[in-house]
Amino acid sequence: MKRKWPVILIVLLSAAVIITVIVTEHTSTLPGRRPPNPFAYDVDEFRSVDPGMIRWKEARQVELDTHTPRAIAYTDGKIYLAADNELQMIGSDWSRMMRRILPGAPTCLAVAQDGRIIAGMGNHLVLLNSDGETIAESETLAGESNITSVAILGDNIYAADAPGRRVLVFNRELELIDEFRGDSGVSEIHGFIVPDAHFSLAVNPENELWITNPGIHALQNYTPSGRLRSYIQRTSFTLEGFSGCCNPVHFTFLPDGRFVTSEKGIIRIKVMRESGETESVVAPSELFAGGTRAPAVVVDNDGNVLALDFDRNMIRIFEPI
Amino acid sequence: MERKKTKSRREFINSSMRFGMVLALGGIGGLALRSSTKDQWVWQIDPFKCSWCGRCATNCVLNPSAVKCVHAYELCGYCDLCGGYLIPGHSDRSTAAENQLCPTAAIERKFIEEPYYEYKINEDLCIGCAKCAEGCSAFGNGSLYLQIMHHLCVNCNECAIARACPSDAIKRVKGSEPYLMKGDFTADGGET
């Protein structure tokens, strides 16, 4: 009996060590075993979407052979992609038709019906022919300017300058001829409020100029001379509106004039009627899990939505169901 | 004939020892001089790497944490609908407690002119939880972010929050430039 005590002691000590190791391992804060963040910023309840609202399906993903995608445009069966310091033209069969080095990093793109291309280059515009050769350059804008979106309407080119909170109007020779700041004179409708580098404009199939006012969650319709004509304003974390301080980030139009909007924060793409009601969801936020940037959107000739996913470096094609 | 004087082994060892001690003392003195004159290194958060995990609030040896939210006023949009101030799904854009995102009401909101508001951080109330920084980065422009406050930080040799940081955002920086302010540098490390 006397000889067994050391053995029992060793067994008890070993058991104590094993239990200590297990408990320590269980309660450790090593990666993978950390407790959830008690201060988590939780918007999950707003991510869920009624499946009946999702009336689009993701048909295809096209990975890009670029490092940093920057902007996308679509005209007449061709995709125009600005990425890194270059411009690419991609055909409907996804073959590359043109690739040109640009004199800097493009920030936005627009293509006229005649094939001429306008590229925003931060503080100036560049006009290129359909082969991607530079035809003209605008003067460099004074002060802190960043052209984040560009559109063509009639003989004018409209460029959204986010830091300047203004829309610049250029002629076809890229001469600056006018600017406006969205002041309507009506007290409840403020001029452009642009908290970050997301300020977007587009022309709808009816040749109407629409501009975001992200600081008040609005899409605003302006005359070519810059007078506010009408607006849609929707604030909500749900699908019915826009959330945060900088949404919608990008938008475009379906062939019948409905809006396609892309949002950040809760990254999602949805379709809004011209009256402002949300009609359907193109891509719910679960399709952009882990992403941080709202995709740029264009619509092709068939009415499909093409989303430039900056986080995944790909173009994602969504077809109506 | 004068005999050439030669050193004995004992004398040689003694002189070598003396030379070695002088050399060692000189080295120690040099090192001491160098450490007293070189830059002190302190801990700081790279705001472009921060993933707002909440561990700055819970893992700092100080309570409340030496990490506080700071506000880049030149970046801020002064928005009425601030994603860093208002709780997601807020019922009203007011200062009522139920609308505030900050768990300690450390963000003070002041009306400037329609529709602009100024936001200030009350450092005494801030616990460095990063909830506002996450909301501001996700929905806004990231003008709210975390920094280690050096009038509070005890500059531990092994920083507890650096050890717990899942995104490797906390690093040593020169004491002469102890803060990594947004606007002074960019995500890729370049100066603006």
Side-chain angles (χ1 to χ4, degrees):
Chain A
M1 186 67 190
K2 207 174 178 182
R3 281 184 180 176
K4 286 185 179 176
W5 271 111
V7 176
I8 292 168
L9 196 65
I10 288 167
V11 168
L12 285 174
L13 276 172
S14 303
V17 168
I18 290 166
I19 289 166
T20 307
V21 167
I22 291 170
V23 169
T24 307
E25 176 70 11
H26 189 71
T27 58
S28 79
T29 55
L30 290 169
R33 288 195 171 277
R34 286 172 173 144
N37 178 7
F39 308 106
Y41 184 81
D42 189 5
V43 289
D44 285 350
E45 64 176 298
F46 303 105
R47 293 186 195 279
S48 60
V49 175
D50 172 9
M53 286 290 284
I54 304 173
R55 295 180 210 149
W56 299 70
K57 64 174 182 189
E58 187 167 9
R60 189 169 178 183
Q61 296 180 342
V62 179
E63 289 190 14
L64 303 172
D65 62 347
T66 57
H67 186 257
T68 308
R70 300 185 190 278
I72 190 170
Y74 182 92
T75 297
D76 198 24
K78 300 183 195 79
I79 296 165
Y80 295 81
L81 177 72
D84 305 327
N85 281 16
E86 66 181 26
L87 173 71
Q88 295 185 22
M89 189 200 293
I90 300 166
S92 54
D93 59 353
W94 295 98
S95 61
R96 189 182 295 120
M97 301 167 69
M98 183 260 284
R99 190 171 200 164
R100 287 275 179 184
I101 301 293
L102 294 172
T107 49
C108 52
L109 279 181
V111 184
Q113 287 299 326
D114 62 7
R116 291 198 294 177
I117 304 155
I118 310 288
M121 306 296 288
N123 59 7
H124 68 286
L125 294 179
V126 174
L127 176 64
L128 311 149
N129 65 19
S130 55
D131 294 325
E133 293 159 345
T134 302
I135 302 170
E137 282 192 45
S138 73
E139 284 191 15
T140 301
L141 299 167
E144 193 183 343
S145 296
N146 184 16
I147 297 172
T148 53
S149 183
V150 64
I152 301 163
L153 177 60
D155 291 330
N156 291 342
I157 295 158
Y158 294 83
D161 172 20
R165 301 181 173 200
R166 59 183 177 164
V167 171
L168 305 164
V169 188
F170 295 85
N171 62 21
R172 292 273 179 155
E173 284 71 47
L174 296 190
E175 294 164 336
L176 182 63
I177 54 174
D178 197 7
E179 70 171 61
F180 55 94
R181 295 175 179 271
D183 304 319
S184 66
V186 182
S187 61
E188 62 268 27
I189 303 298
H190 199 275
F192 299 125
I193 302 170
V194 189
D196 69 355
H198 296 120
F199 185 27
S200 187
L201 48 77
V203 174
N204 74 1
E206 302 294 323
N207 280 327
E208 294 172 334
L209 177 65
W210 285 82
I211 305 169
T212 58
N213 197 339
I216 55 170
H217 297 150
L219 286 158
Q220 299 180 329
N221 174 214
Y222 285 85
T223 64
S225 60
R227 192 168 52 82
L228 181 66
R229 193 152 47 190
S230 65
Y231 67 96
I232 295 165
Q233 191 172 359
R234 294 280 190 281
T235 296
S236 175
F237 271 77
T238 68
L239 285 176
E240 294 308 312
F242 304 111
S243 53
C245 69
C246 314
N247 277 315
V249 171
H250 303 284
F251 75 105
T252 188
F253 294 94
L254 289 168
D256 60 7
R258 287 174 294 162
F259 297 94
V260 177
T261 61
S262 172
E263 298 168 53
K264 71 176 205 174
I266 302 170
I267 302 173
R268 60 192 177 197
I269 302 171
K270 64 192 185 193
V271 172
M272 287 172 64
R273 295 193 187 97
E274 290 151 290
S275 52
E277 289 87 27
T278 300
E279 186 197 87
S280 62
V281 174
V282 176
S285 65
E286 66 188 45
L287 295 186
F288 302 100
T292 56
R293 296 183 64 189
V297 285
V298 293
V299 172
D300 70 14
N301 285 344
D302 300 323
N304 301 319
V305 174
L306 277 56
L308 178 59
D309 190 329
F310 299 101
D311 295 309
R312 291 172 176 78
N313 198 16
M314 60 171 62
I315 297 173
R316 304 171 72 171
I317 299 99
F318 296 90
E319 294 175 355
I321 297 173
Chain B
M1 190 177 164
E2 194 179 342
R3 195 177 163 193
K4 195 178 179 183
K5 193 179 176 184
T6 55
K7 275 187 182 177
S8 69
R9 180 180 293 176
R10 187 181 295 273
E11 283 171 338
F12 175 76
I13 291 170
N14 278 342
S15 60
S16 298
M17 289 281 281
R18 276 196 292 273
F19 180 74
M21 282 180 70
V22 167
L23 207 65
L25 279 171
I28 290 166
L31 279 173
L33 189 69
R34 184 168 172 261
S35 64
S36 67
T37 53
K38 78 169 183 182
D39 242 339
Q40 189 190 4
W41 293 82
V42 295
W43 295 103
Q44 194 48 270
I45 301 169
D46 181 340
F48 292 106
K49 284 189 176 176
C50 175
S51 55
W52 320 289
C53 67
R55 284 180 201 128
C56 287
T58 56
N59 284 58
C60 182
V61 294
L62 299 177
N63 188 16
S65 171
V67 175
K68 306 289 177 189
C69 179
V70 296
H71 192 189
Y73 290 101
E74 67 276 15
L75 293 179
C76 181
Y78 293 80
C79 303
D80 180 15
L81 27 81
C82 175
Y85 180 79
L86 297 164
I87 198 163
H90 51 272
S91 56
D92 183 28
R93 288 201 290 269
S94 74
T95 56
E98 67 269 24
N99 296 323
Q100 292 190 40
L101 179 64
C102 179
T104 59
I107 306 179
E108 293 163 2
R109 171 179 158 112
K110 183 179 150 194
F111 177 72
I112 303 294
E113 64 172 58
E114 192 61 34
Y116 296 114
Y117 288 80
E118 184 184 70
Y119 299 89
K120 276 188 178 172
I121 309 298
N122 184 332
E123 195 182 294
D124 294 335
L125 294 178
C126 179
I127 56 170
C129 69
K131 207 169 183 178
C132 61
E134 186 173 6
C136 180
S137 296
F139 287 94
N141 59 15
S143 59
L144 293 170
Y145 59 100
L146 296 184
Q147 289 283 277
I148 295 170
M149 293 297 159
H150 293 294
H151 62 284
L152 301 172
C153 176
V154 291
N155 202 18
C156 301
N157 192 37
E158 185 182 28
C159 173
I161 54 171
R163 192 163 164 259
C165 179
S167 50
D168 201 21
I170 302 173
K171 59 185 181 184
R172 286 284 199 186
V173 297
K174 282 183 180 176
S176 57
E177 294 167 27
Y179 294 97
L180 297 173
M181 309 300 282
K182 278 191 176 177
D184 289 343
F185 74 112
T186 57
D188 57 10
E191 288 186 3
T192 56

